[in-house]
Amino acid sequence: MSPKVGFVSLGCPKALVDSERILSQLRAEGYAISPSYDAADLVVVNTCGFIDAAVEESLDAIGEALAENGRVIVTGCLGAKGDLVREAHPKVLAVTGPHAADEVMQAVHAHLPRPHDPYTDLVPPQGVRLTPAHYAYLKISEGCNHRCSFCIIPSLRGDLASRSIGEVMQEAENLAKAGVKEILVISQDTSAYGVDVKYRTGFWQGRPLKTRMTELVRALSRLGELGGAAEDLWVRLHYVYPYPHVDEIIPLMAEGKLLPYLDVPFQHASPRILKLMKRPASGENNLERIRAWRAICPDITIRSTFIAGFPGETEAEFRQLLDFLEEAELDRVGCFAYSPVDGAKANALPDPVPAELREERRARFMAVQEKISRRRLKRRIGKTLKVLVDAVDEQGAVARSAADAPEIDGVVHIAGGKALKPGDWATVKIERADAHDLWGRIIG
Ligand code: SF4
């Protein structure tokens, strides 16, 4: 028999449209709509909070549903004043704001499991993934509000569109419960998460949560508290622009709640070139920011990407980039020779750098970085690192430490790790390093 949901809809036409959306979704997922309180397994009350009389009517309706049925989810305008609802009716199961059909559905799923669907139930809750079972990418938004002159992503994918925080957190929770050991947060601009929806308040596990990077990251860092498979989980952040609010998450890294790893695409160090590139956060003092991050979290790994030979780049400006590299001592760095993508505004800039010179600068850049990387990895010799195993062959195991994102960074080769399996955690004592990878012996 289908699970039954009762529905009380109060308020204006906008609220009515929200009710219709929720009812349609409930029906589409196979729930039945109950015409009475006692036949319902739970009741959704869509409230109005416009004037005092509407607030009272809504609170009364919630009270009635609680008295008659006992299991109530509150949504709508009064839900935006979550404290008021919880103060008056502490027994409600969940409270969401207006236009929150996704969050209401999550609350329904949490308290009244979806009926079996022979088509979609072939797909596990964490979805179908193309990555190995032990790590997964979590996409938090699509598109981008910036207009970097070398990039055509905004014209292909449009402006920033952040996913609802409730949906993102539910996906992360499903991944963690399915045994994923590492979640990699991706987007075009992770620091901008929620700007497009004015940091709207969403809901996760019945609690309000702002659509904002700091709040998202804090919630992700609490996934381990769910226990079970989620207890030991790495959360790694990619594409974080160095805005001031990024500083707020570094203490979480220092406390071990978030992987001490930041992928920050700096692209250049010359203020004039950054301006020509129209880079976000181009006015920030990146060296100072990196120093401050390291002061709070000395173990932080900083990865970045750069472009050499951008149109108009002089030898002096390129050297400025090399100086930045020497001073910043980044851990992981990629460099591309500028490539004129069809449709990018930068192609029309004066004084393009000849292709050969672009390549030459890229090679000089990488030679400098190789020395830095070798120096930094050498410091790890003798240290004990926790690693996550990616693959095992006759030679031993290949794993990654907190400093290594899959596919783009280095690896840790483990001698004597043949008994390990992909997805296992291991403790390794580092014995050797080159400019990219580490070699170690398993000690646990
Ligand atoms: S390079 Fe610039 S425009 Fe392109 S996606 Fe990144 S931030 Fe947006």
Side-chain angles (χ1 to χ4, degrees):
M1 237 181 22
S2 302
K4 290 197 185 66
V5 179
F7 208 99
V8 179
S9 184
L10 305 168
C12 67
K14 274 176 273 168
L16 187 75
V17 171
D18 287 348
S19 294
E20 287 171 351
R21 255 199 83 198
I22 298 164
L23 285 165
S24 308
Q25 190 59 32
L26 286 166
R27 291 293 295 124
E29 292 189 9
Y31 290 95
I33 308 302
S34 165
S36 69
Y37 284 128
D38 33 306
D41 297 303
L42 66 76
V43 178
V44 176
V45 182
N46 189 4
T47 59
C48 176
F50 185 51
I51 51 170
D52 287 351
V55 170
E56 218 157 280
E57 187 193 4
S58 294
L59 288 175
D60 285 350
I62 298 167
E64 186 181 301
L66 277 170
E68 299 288 329
N69 181 280
R71 305 183 74 221
V72 176
I73 291 169
V74 177
T75 182
C77 293
L78 188 63
K81 304 171 187 165
D83 291 348
L84 203 146
V85 176
R86 285 194 184 278
E87 259 164 43
H89 297 296
K91 288 202 172 133
V92 292
L93 298 174
V95 184
T96 84
H99 325 302
D102 292 344
E103 279 93 6
V104 173
M105 289 310 297
Q106 279 167 33
V108 172
H109 295 155
H111 296 284
L112 186 62
R114 280 181 54 177
H116 173 76
D117 180 323
Y119 297 107
T120 57
D121 287 357
L122 292 174
V123 178
Q126 72 274 22
V128 174
R129 293 186 295 112
L130 300 172
T131 46
H134 58 282
Y135 69 82
Y137 294 96
L138 180 67
K139 190 174 196 175
I140 59 169
S141 61
E142 190 48 271
C144 180
N145 282 350
H146 302 295
R147 295 294 179 263
C148 299
S149 55
F150 55 82
C151 175
I152 57 164
I153 283 178
S155 63
L156 295 177
R157 305 205 177 153
D159 283 341
L160 177 75
S162 301
R163 291 178 63 200
S164 104
I165 192 151
E167 201 182 294
V168 170
M169 284 309 301
Q170 188 59 55
E171 185 174 330
E173 191 182 325
N174 290 346
L175 290 169
K177 284 182 178 163
V180 163
K181 306 274 175 65
E182 176 177 2
I183 290 180
L184 300 107
V185 176
I186 54 163
S187 69
Q188 307 299 337
D189 177 359
T190 297
S191 340
Y193 178 58
V195 168
D196 54 318
V197 293
K198 301 195 174 58
Y199 306 120
R200 192 174 82 178
T201 299
F203 291 85
W204 177 54
Q205 295 191 329
R207 297 222 183 99
L209 195 58
K210 272 197 170 165
T211 314
R212 189 169 176 266
M213 183 187 75
T214 318
E215 277 76 1
L216 170 72
V217 164
R218 270 199 202 116
L220 287 171
S221 74
R222 288 203 308 267
L223 277 175
E225 293 164 17
L226 295 172
E231 208 155 292
D232 216 354
L233 181 73
W234 277 355
V235 176
R236 192 185 293 281
L237 301 182
H238 285 283
Y239 316 117
V240 178
Y241 287 99
Y243 291 108
H245 70 282
V246 173
D247 300 355
E248 296 169 14
I249 61 174
I250 309 297
L252 285 178
M253 297 183 177
E255 288 163 27
K257 293 188 176 149
L258 183 68
L259 213 57
Y261 181 100
L262 264 191
D263 176 6
V264 193
F266 290 118
Q267 306 300 14
H268 214 283
S270 145
R272 192 185 78 92
I273 296 291
L274 284 169
K275 227 167 161 195
L276 285 177
M277 287 178 165
K278 294 197 185 324
R279 289 296 288 166
S282 63
E284 299 293 327
N285 184 338
N286 291 332
L287 269 182
E288 220 166 78
R289 176 139 283 136
I290 291 167
R291 275 187 208 121
W293 291 343
R294 286 190 176 136
I296 298 168
C297 181
D299 282 341
I300 192 170
T301 294
I302 304 174
R303 145 169 270 279
S304 191
T305 46
F306 293 87
I307 297 176
F310 187 78
E313 183 189 67
T314 62
E315 174 62 23
E317 283 161 341
F318 175 64
R319 279 175 189 236
Q320 203 173 349
L321 173 57
L322 296 184
D323 289 347
F324 171 84
L325 205 57
E326 294 274 14
E327 281 214 48
E329 280 215 299
L330 303 177
D331 300 86
R332 303 290 191 187
V333 170
C335 181
F336 302 96
Y338 174 73
S339 139
V341 177
D342 254 5
K345 294 236 163 53
N347 301 340
L349 289 171
D351 307 319
V353 178
E356 239 169 73
L357 188 52
R358 283 185 241 148
E359 258 318 315
E360 186 200 304
R361 285 185 183 166
R362 191 195 76 86
R364 280 165 66 195
F365 178 105
M366 287 317 287
V368 171
Q369 178 57 31
E370 192 172 318
K371 281 194 202 133
I372 296 169
S373 184
R374 195 177 286 279
R375 206 160 60 220
R376 286 190 75 80
L377 287 181
K378 210 169 155 193
R379 290 183 207 155
R380 304 208 164 212
I381 296 175
K383 295 227 161 98
T384 300
L385 299 182
K386 175 179 175 178
V387 297
L388 180 58
V389 175
D390 275 339
V392 183
D393 61 20
E394 307 83 59
Q395 328 277 322
V398 179
R400 288 177 295 107
S401 71
D404 315 307
E407 310 287 341
I408 51 174
D409 294 330
V411 294
V412 182
H413 299 274
I414 312 174
K418 276 192 270 176
L420 293 166
K421 299 184 300 310
D424 280 352
W425 296 110
T427 308
V428 174
K429 176 113 188 239
I430 302 303
E431 296 174 332
R432 187 158 73 82
D434 68 8
H436 305 284
D437 299 334
L438 298 171
W439 282 259
R441 191 155 295 283
I442 186 159
I443 56 168

